[in-house]
């Protein structure tokens, strides 16, 4: 499960850190409490059309784009009429109608500083936890993306196309298994190129590979208790990730 994100870096910092070639418009500002249906930054590798006529142009361009968190399948009639698909189980994503075409050709990485999860105490009390890496480097979460075309929007209307994304999850592993039975799929940096490459057709084998690597990354993850204020999405400040006793 992954339902609240923290992204403390600016879009410019993320673009530099991940060697982005093209920065999109209207990228989100840093946020300490991002919830589903809000905008997140996604990293997408796309084929470079210019390479067909320019041998010096790269075949693939890396883009940092703004996407709605909550995938909207291309066949959806209206994004407002269905629950946001903000998580997708990696074990079955390749066979689910809402995700299988994205697994094949529209894979993304979502940069984050961490995320919130709620630890259930023996008495049933839920305590908010901030999950993060043991270093200051941002995490990469494996995701999928889709473009949804608004059938009633004019060709020149900026709202004609909606970019949306979902975060893949897998069975909890390492320290995170004690926190929740599911965790986001942490993307191994060494697998980032293969995962994002639009020339590679994604399949069950690719999903299994990144899921296995995510289990190893989970061993180095840490978490600690934070204020219950994170439960209200209207609260959004750096104080939310401060440790509480």
């Amino acid at each position: 499960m992954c339902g609240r994100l923290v992204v403390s870096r600016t879009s410019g910092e993320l673009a530099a850190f991940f060697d982005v070639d093209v920065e999109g418009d209207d990228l989100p500002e840093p946020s300490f409490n991002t919830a589903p249906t809000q905008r997140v930054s996604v990293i997408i590798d796309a084929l470079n059309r210019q390479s067909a006529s320019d041998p010096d142009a790269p075949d693939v361009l890396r883009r940092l784009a703004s996407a709605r968190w909550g995938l909207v399948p291309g066949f959806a009639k209206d994004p407002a009429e269905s629950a946001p698909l903000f998580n997708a189980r990696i074990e079955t994503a390749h066979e689910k109608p809402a995700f299988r075409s994205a697994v094949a050709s529209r894979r993304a990485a979502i940069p984050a500083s961490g995320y919130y999860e709620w630890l259930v105490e023996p008495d049933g009390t839920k305590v908010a936890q901030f999950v993060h890496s043991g270093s200051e480097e941002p995490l990469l979460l494996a995701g999928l993306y889709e473009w949804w075309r608004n059938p009633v929007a004019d060709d020149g209307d900026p709202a004609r196309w909606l970019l949306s994304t979902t975060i893949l999850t897998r069975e909890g592993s390492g320290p995170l298994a004690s926190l929740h039975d599911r965790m986001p799929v942490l993307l191994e940096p060494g697998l980032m190129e293969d995962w994002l490459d639009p020339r590679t057709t994604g399949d069950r084998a690719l999903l299994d590979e990144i899921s296995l690597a995510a289990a190893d990354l989970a061993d180095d993850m840490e978490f600690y208790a934070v204020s219950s204020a994170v439960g209200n999405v209207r609260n959004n400040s750096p104080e939310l990730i401060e440790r509480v006793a």
Side-chain angles (χ1 to χ4, degrees):
M1 183 78 177
C2 180
R4 293 289 177 85
L5 289 180
V6 174
V7 184
S8 61
R9 293 176 182 252
T10 67
S11 58
E13 290 172 329
L14 293 174
F17 192 90
F18 293 109
D19 296 324
V20 167
D21 300 304
V22 180
E23 293 184 51
D25 298 326
D26 196 27
L27 290 167
E29 297 292 330
S31 171
F32 292 84
N33 202 4
T34 300
T37 73
Q38 296 182 337
R39 293 183 303 115
V40 295
S41 291
V42 295
I43 299 171
I44 295 170
D45 281 3
L47 294 176
N48 183 11
R49 296 179 181 178
Q50 185 180 352
S51 65
S53 56
D54 183 356
D56 294 326
D59 294 333
V60 173
L61 290 176
R62 177 156 297 168
R63 300 177 182 274
L64 185 68
S66 175
R68 175 189 188 264
W69 185 16
L71 189 135
V72 180
F75 56 75
K77 293 183 178 180
D78 185 346
E81 293 181 355
S82 58
L85 302 173
F86 60 93
N87 284 165
R89 287 178 171 258
I90 197 168
E91 300 90 343
T92 57
H94 65 290
E95 59 189 18
K96 294 292 185 180
F99 306 126
R100 61 191 177 198
S101 62
V103 168
S105 59
R106 288 181 291 279
R107 301 177 300 276
I110 297 91
S113 305
Y115 66 97
Y116 298 115
E117 192 56 82
W118 277 258
L119 178 65
V120 181
E121 300 284 11
D123 63 357
T125 302
K126 294 183 178 181
V127 181
Q129 307 283 321
F130 176 55
V131 185
H132 61 102
S133 70
S135 70
E136 295 184 358
E137 294 187 358
L139 302 172
L140 276 178
L141 309 181
L144 307 172
Y145 72 93
E146 277 288 1
W147 287 99
W148 179 79
R149 180 180 175 181
N150 187 339
V152 300
D154 295 333
D155 288 351
D157 189 339
R160 184 186 183 193
W161 291 99
L162 171 67
L163 176 62
S164 63
T165 190
T166 189
I167 294 173
L168 290 166
T169 67
R170 55 151 287 150
E171 181 181 352
S173 181
L176 302 184
S178 65
L179 183 58
H180 197 281
D181 62 350
R182 304 292 297 180
M183 71 178 203
V185 175
L186 306 165
L187 185 58
E188 165 61 52
L191 295 176
M192 183 178 179
E193 300 296 329
D194 290 341
W195 175 249
L196 296 180
D197 194 340
R199 299 162 297 187
T200 299
T201 300
D203 55 15
R204 177 62 184 271
L206 179 60
L207 296 178
D208 288 345
E209 182 180 15
I210 67 162
S211 181
L212 183 62
D216 291 335
L217 292 177
D219 289 338
D220 296 324
M221 296 293 286
E222 302 174 359
F223 60 88
Y224 56 79
V226 293
S227 169
S228 60
V230 303
N232 187 334
V233 73
R234 288 177 294 182
N235 296 324
N236 195 329
S237 69
E239 288 74 25
L240 293 180
I241 62 172
E242 292 182 357
R243 186 190 300 264
V244 299

